[in-house]
Amino acid sequence: MPDDIKALSAQLAQDPASLVFLRLGELLRQRGQLDAAHRVALTGLERHPHLADAHDLYARVLADKRDYERAFDEWDMALRIAPGHLGALKGLAFLYFKVGDVAQARAHLEAALRAAPDDASLVQAVTLVRGGQAAAAASELAKERTPPPPLTPAAAHAPLEESRVFAGLEGAQEGLLLLDASGRVLGGALRDPGGHDVSEPVAAYLAGVSQEAGRSAKLLGLGTWTGLSAEGRQGHVHLAQPTRDALLLVVRDRSVPMGRLAIIAQRAAQAAHRWLEQQA
């Protein structure tokens, strides 16, 4: 699956208007990478606002994030665009069960069953709710909506300890974040001023930045981009590209000069490049 995500991310980067975002967003959702899935789904929806499947994907991500009110709106919109949309009908049935409206849940389940009479889970859920076993029916339907459990490091290729990628580098234990093109954290970690880990949301936000930077540099006639720096009130950041399919973000407080930050980033990028080559 990681290879699928990488391939789909590359396709989407080449053609941002492609519908491949539907498959990419769903794979990320199934992996439990909800921040990355949210960004992919929302960006796709902004490009395809009249596509029912785009609203359905966004709703599924919102439901996994327990944002049920917005998920309801998205599934409702999917049905307005495409009456009888299976995913929207099942999603709304799930939400109606959540609020205890069994009648509406049953109505949506039966409509979904008419659209997909061979769907075994729907057959089971409708049978249960018709038999007065609403709780059991809701449980059957919820199997699709339950966020996936955390994957083991071996299965998920979870973020690696900083020392394995950035061993021996200045500040190797903090302020370094390595991610792939889909926004998946590969190594390092970032924390906000309050000490909270913000690695995943930052990585999800940065997904696709290298392609945008490349396009901007080309339009401006600047050639191939090698790094981006920015100053903030609380600190400085530097973004580098260890490989074509990876990004490295370095964060330091204002006591570190921008020139020094660029050197730190260059060394970290070299270490990340070596590590990525070993994994290939």
Side-chain angles (χ1 to χ4, degrees):
M1 191 176 293
D3 289 340
D4 291 338
I5 289 177
K6 183 176 181 180
L8 292 173
S9 298
Q11 291 180 43
L12 188 60
Q14 293 176 358
D15 182 9
S18 170
L19 296 184
V20 75
F21 81 91
L22 294 169
R23 292 167 55 200
L24 175 59
E26 179 59 17
L27 283 176
L28 289 168
R29 187 189 75 84
Q30 292 174 5
R31 286 279 311 276
Q33 296 182 20
L34 298 184
D35 289 324
H38 184 278
R39 184 176 186 276
V40 169
L42 183 57
T43 301
L45 182 60
E46 289 172 346
R47 293 182 180 275
H48 304 279
H50 304 297
L51 182 65
D53 285 347
H55 288 277
D56 178 40
L57 170 63
Y58 190 38
R60 278 180 274 140
V61 175
L62 291 171
D64 282 358
K65 293 170 76 72
R66 294 180 173 80
D67 190 346
Y68 298 127
E69 184 176 350
R70 293 172 64 197
F72 183 96
D73 291 341
E74 293 301 324
W75 273 318
D76 182 64
M77 181 58 70
L79 278 185
R80 293 174 184 272
I81 296 172
H85 189 283
L86 181 61
L89 288 169
K90 294 169 76 172
L92 288 173
F94 164 74
L95 293 182
Y96 278 120
F97 273 127
K98 292 285 292 183
V99 299
D101 192 337
V102 178
Q104 281 290 346
R106 174 175 174 171
H108 282 79
L109 279 177
E110 291 178 338
L113 186 60
R114 289 193 293 272
D118 296 326
D119 188 314
S121 66
L122 278 175
V123 172
Q124 178 70 5
V126 170
T127 300
L128 289 169
V129 77
R130 285 175 177 172
Q133 302 181 59
S139 178
E140 180 67 27
L141 191 62
K143 292 178 181 178
E144 295 185 27
R145 298 270 55 86
T146 303
L151 299 177
T152 63
H157 298 277
L160 301 175
E161 295 181 2
E162 293 87 337
S163 59
R164 294 183 59 184
V165 182
F166 304 116
L169 294 179
E170 177 184 335
Q173 300 304 315
E174 59 182 10
L176 294 170
L177 187 67
L178 179 66
L179 60 138
D180 66 12
S182 69
R184 180 168 62 97
V185 177
L186 300 176
L190 293 180
R191 296 185 182 278
D192 66 14
H196 304 102
D197 191 319
V198 293
S199 302
E200 287 198 7
V202 170
Y205 183 81
L206 290 175
V209 166
S210 60
Q211 288 78 21
E212 293 297 332
R215 281 191 286 268
S216 297
K218 183 177 180 180
L219 288 172
L220 293 170
L222 301 177
T224 303
W225 79 281
T226 58
L228 299 173
S229 297
E231 296 186 32
R233 292 184 178 180
Q234 302 299 323
H236 306 313
V237 298
H238 187 94
L239 190 66
Q241 192 175 29
T243 70
R244 183 177 180 180
D245 299 317
L247 284 175
L248 171 70
L249 182 67
V250 182
V251 181
R252 292 290 184 270
D253 61 39
R254 291 185 61 85
S255 66
V256 179
M258 293 298 291
R260 177 64 177 167
L261 181 63
I263 294 174
I264 295 172
Q266 182 181 32
R267 292 175 178 172
Q270 291 171 349
H273 180 80
R274 290 193 296 269
W275 181 83
L276 289 167
E277 285 189 330
Q278 293 172 1
Q279 310 308 307

